[in-house]
Amino acid sequence: MERQKRIMGVRWAASIVLVLCFAGAVSSRDVLQQNDTDETRTLQGEVVREVLAGRQVYEYRSYKDVQIFHFSIPPLVSHAVFNFTANDTRSCNARNITTIMQADSYPVINPDGAEFPEGLWINRTQMYETTLKSDLKPVLLTVEFPQAGDWYMLVFINDTSNRITQAGLFPSCHSWLQVKVEYHIQPQVSTIVPEIHSQNNIYLVQTVKDIQYHKFYVPTSTWMIVVNVTNCDIVDLKSNSSSTCPLELSVRALALPGPNTSNTDKQSCYHISPGEECILESVPVEEAWHYLSLTPKQELNDTLELVVSLKIIFISCTEESGNIYHLVSESPEPSCLASQSSEELNTPEILVSEENNGILEENSTLYDLQEVRGQQLTCWPKHRLEKKTFGGNYAFEYDVALDENGTSVLVLNITNDSPTVLSFELEHIIDIGGTLLIEIGVSPFMNTSNHNYSLVGCVSHRLRGEFDSNNSCVRGHRLESNTTGFGLFSSSVFIPYPEPGPWHLTLLPLCYTNNGSDYEYVDCTSEITSLLFGITSASCIQGKCGHYGSCFQYISGGFIFSTCVCDAGYRGWGCTDKHQALPDWELLLATLLLTLSNLFFLPAIFLALKRKYYAEALVYTFTMFFSTFYHACDQDAYSFCLMPLNTMQFCDFYSAIMSFWVTLIAMADLHHSVYSVLHMAGALVIALGVEYDRTGLWVFAIPASSAFIIMTVSWVWHCKKQHQCYPSKRYWLVCLIPGTILAVTGLICYAFLETLDNYHYIHSAWHATMALSILCILPPARKKDEFVGCDESQPLPGSEAQLLSPQEQNYSLLSQPGA
């Protein structure tokens, strides 16, 4: 009677707590709906909506061109529907846009088909890819049972064209992508709160009509989860008969289990007879919510009921000894069905099993569990590693804790009796943008007189690694190191953009003897194996990108990531794919063509000096100098930078446009005062334009067209004053027409024919044609220089200077010797 009273008291207390929690959840939900009416993310019934405003996306040339979108998926989502809409600038053709999405970290991709470097662990997480057009037509993507937390999506334009388009000559096309998401929440998910009971064997009696979900929290140091189902029967209410129960159990961490979800442990109870136990064992994720689904594999109607008795057991371990210290653990959170919103939800009934007079014998339960496993159940030794952070992003390492003297351990000794687990934690966002390197190796100081030593490691995320009968990894990436030549003395793996959360390096020491190429595993004569390990993080591949690449850090959507930018046709994650790489002779040829082609300015410089166009000669020299060193610095392999690249690029563009300006002003044959004013005005305006947009068409077109108009007006004025054609016909035929043809040819090559493949050929031709056109169209020297600063009313002091009137400039000097 006392026990029944205690049970009834517990039931009443649990009912009161559930009612209070449900009322609090409803009131909090009403407040949330009221506060979120003006926000993009609203809670409406069982659907949470999220809108990401349109953001510009770019053509993919390397990973630096991707746009990162971030989503925060709430818990208990049965399916998420992503609605993608893309648009483009008017008068532009629709382009192909690709989205790639995954949970926890940035996706590791190679859209250009480049090979990944050796030793890189990719395809760790399931990715979802979608392709759409920038034509405002929506495209939907549905993700079933997504993991709660951070999701990252990469967006880029999939364009394989290598054409170089000049800004202003072609329409400037920009694409934007907008995303709307609907998260459909599973309403009926009951919370199971395990407790410590040393005297009662407690079960939850469930009546299952359809698929049923439960959730429970797993505390730290939990070694195993055991889901125990008994008394699983189908009851016919009419005939009061029962038969074998078809039921499937599924357990998954961080998300609801589904038919095809990853990291889901399943157990079919179809062949379990009434009264027998159906047991599902699962390796848990510590300090995380887990979800259990009960799925009937037979159609049920109003006359058929599926009744089960459910119990969840936590097997926990002490980290020091690695032994089991209790079977049932407690949750750090109070019991509250906060996720339930349906009034039809059946609250699990708490019953006490009458077996063994209500007393749970811990050893007998453990013995039954061992019989199911068929092996001795023991916990493995576990070491939690400490993080050491260095300066800069993604620069850190993990090591064992300092000993009592405050010194670090250089060699780690692990037992040969069982595997050993090394665990470490990566932070969200701040630790995921680099590359993690994990290395293991057997200590070279091991005594190998009796046998050799082998070390097998499993690197896994969240769930600890385990080994099968062949010493292979059940999950994760396998590493192996040994003390002989048939394998590797050390082994390593690179993990780009590692997922946050707990990581495990499970180590299994083995002993063997080898005769030639054959080897045989034997019992170890020593109790420990000494090993060396390293767990470090850095940008790119250990901060490097091979010989033909550079490592950079970029920001997209507020998230920092490191990536390699490759040169000389090399591609790939570490710039190691050389299938499209340029040979050294072609790289050297490109550098020589782009730099030495500027020597075509030398004849124009000498001619300008001879004809006393000193300002023009200075501008041509300036153009030749900075164009040479800008292209020498801008090359991939054979490069030399005299100044910062941005400075030399400005000087190159500025001097090139100034060359056009001063040449056309010299051809205009203006009065010296007007001539000097136009030189200074052009220098100021062109400097402003180049600084504003050095690659735009109008930066070149406005000065060139203005100078051409000034030259045309001046020529018309000369023709009217001299009553004859100006300049002379000989200048038109011998100089102006050939120079114009060269200049137009160079402009056509520069604007329409350049691609990434022929750039060094076409751009070198542009240098040559423009320099030769100046050599042709540069006008003859003036007949007589004007005096500058003379006043007609005041003669020069010390002499009786006679005022000179300006003399007409005529291009007839072409017939004079030396012109």
Side-chain angles (χ1 to χ4, degrees), residues 637-658:
Y638 299 94
S639 62
F640 171 76
C641 292
L642 184 65
M643 300 180 186
L645 181 63
N646 187 64
T647 302
M648 290 189 293
Q649 186 187 54
F650 171 85
C651 295
D652 178 41
F653 280 78
Y654 175 73
S655 59
I657 300 175
M658 276 296 296

Side-chain angles (χ1 to χ4, degrees), residues 658-672:
M658 276 296 296
S659 297
F660 279 94
W661 175 263
V662 297
T663 303
L664 293 176
I665 295 301
M667 294 171 61
D669 192 14
L670 299 171
H671 190 274
H672 198 284

Side-chain angles (χ1 to χ4, degrees), residues 471-780:
N471 298 325
S472 298
C473 296
V474 176
R475 66 180 66 89
H477 185 85
R478 188 176 189 271
L479 300 175
E480 183 177 3
S481 172
N482 52 67
T483 56
T484 57
F486 76 89
L488 296 174
F489 293 97
S490 63
S491 182
S492 62
V493 60
F494 289 97
I495 306 176
Y497 300 157
E499 292 82 0
W503 283 80
H504 305 283
L505 174 57
T506 308
L507 302 172
L508 175 63
L510 299 170
C511 299
Y512 66 94
T513 59
N514 65 312
N515 297 317
S517 60
D518 298 330
Y519 63 95
E520 179 182 359
Y521 289 109
V522 296
D523 294 333
C524 298
T525 58
S526 62
E527 296 181 355
I528 62 172
T529 295
S530 300
L531 62 95
L532 304 171
F533 76 95
I535 302 176
T536 59
S537 173
S539 299
C540 302
I541 307 296
Q542 291 186 299
K544 302 177 182 178
C545 295
H547 297 290
Y548 295 95
S550 301
C551 181
F552 295 96
Q553 293 182 3
Y554 294 91
I555 299 178
S556 177
F559 300 95
I560 305 176
F561 62 95
S562 62
T563 185
C564 290
V565 178
C566 307
D567 301 327
Y570 282 80
R571 303 180 303 161
W573 201 259
C575 300
T576 55
D577 187 344
K578 56 182 180 180
H579 288 87
Q580 297 182 5
L582 300 176
D584 288 343
W585 68 266
E586 190 169 352
L587 295 174
L588 179 60
L589 177 63
T591 302
L592 294 177
L593 284 176
L594 291 171
T595 55
L596 298 182
S597 60
N598 290 283
L599 296 179
F600 280 94
F601 279 96
L602 286 176
I605 295 172
F606 292 145
L607 184 62
L609 290 174
K610 186 175 182 179
R611 295 181 177 178
K612 299 183 180 180
Y613 288 102
Y614 301 115
E616 289 78 359
L618 179 61
V619 173
Y620 302 154
T621 305
F622 191 83
T623 302
M624 181 185 68
F625 179 84
F626 280 102
S627 180
T628 299
F629 285 97
Y630 165 67
H631 287 291
C633 182
D634 191 43
Q635 293 310 294
D636 294 337
Y638 299 94
S639 62
F640 171 76
C641 292
L642 184 65
M643 300 180 186
L645 181 63
N646 187 64
T647 302
M648 290 189 293
Q649 186 187 54
F650 171 85
C651 295
D652 178 41
F653 280 78
Y654 175 73
S655 59
I657 300 175
M658 276 296 296
S659 297
F660 279 94
W661 175 263
V662 297
T663 303
L664 293 176
I665 295 301
M667 294 171 61
D669 192 14
L670 299 171
H671 190 274
H672 198 284
S673 58
V674 180
Y675 173 83
S676 59
V677 169
L678 290 177
H679 271 198
M680 184 57 65
L684 297 176
V685 174
I686 293 173
L688 174 64
V690 173
E691 180 63 25
Y692 180 77
D693 183 12
R694 63 191 61 175
T695 60
L697 173 65
W698 297 108
V699 179
F700 171 80
I702 292 178
S705 58
S706 301
F708 181 79
I709 293 174
I710 294 172
M711 181 191 69
T712 303
V713 171
S714 176
W715 284 5
V716 171
W717 182 81
H718 281 290
C719 291
K720 183 178 180 181
K721 187 173 183 180
Q722 297 181 8
H723 303 287
Q724 63 180 0
C725 180
Y726 186 89
S728 63
K729 295 181 179 179
R730 178 179 178 83
Y731 177 81
W732 279 87
L733 296 175
V734 177
C735 300
L736 187 58
I737 293 179
T740 303
I741 293 175
L742 287 172
V744 171
T745 302
L747 289 173
I748 292 175
C749 293
Y750 177 79
F752 301 101
L753 301 181
E754 282 187 354
T755 64
L756 295 177
D757 297 329
N758 64 12
Y759 174 77
H760 49 283
Y761 298 110
I762 300 300
H763 202 78
S764 299
W766 148 263
H767 290 166
T769 53
M770 299 314 297
L772 293 177
S773 67
I774 293 176
L775 184 65
C776 293
I777 64 178
L778 190 66

Side-chain angles (χ1 to χ4, degrees), residues 180-197:
K180 299 179 181 178
V181 195
E182 291 185 353
Y183 305 115
H184 295 260
I185 309 297
Q186 179 66 33
Q188 298 183 355
V189 180
S190 60
T191 303
I192 300 176
V193 183
E195 300 177 358
I196 298 179
H197 295 273

Side-chain angles (χ1 to χ4, degrees), residues 238-257:
K238 292 183 177 181
S239 61
N240 197 24
S241 61
S242 62
S243 61
T244 302
C245 166
L247 182 69
E248 183 177 81
L249 308 177
S250 299
V251 172
R252 187 184 181 199
L254 304 176
L256 296 174

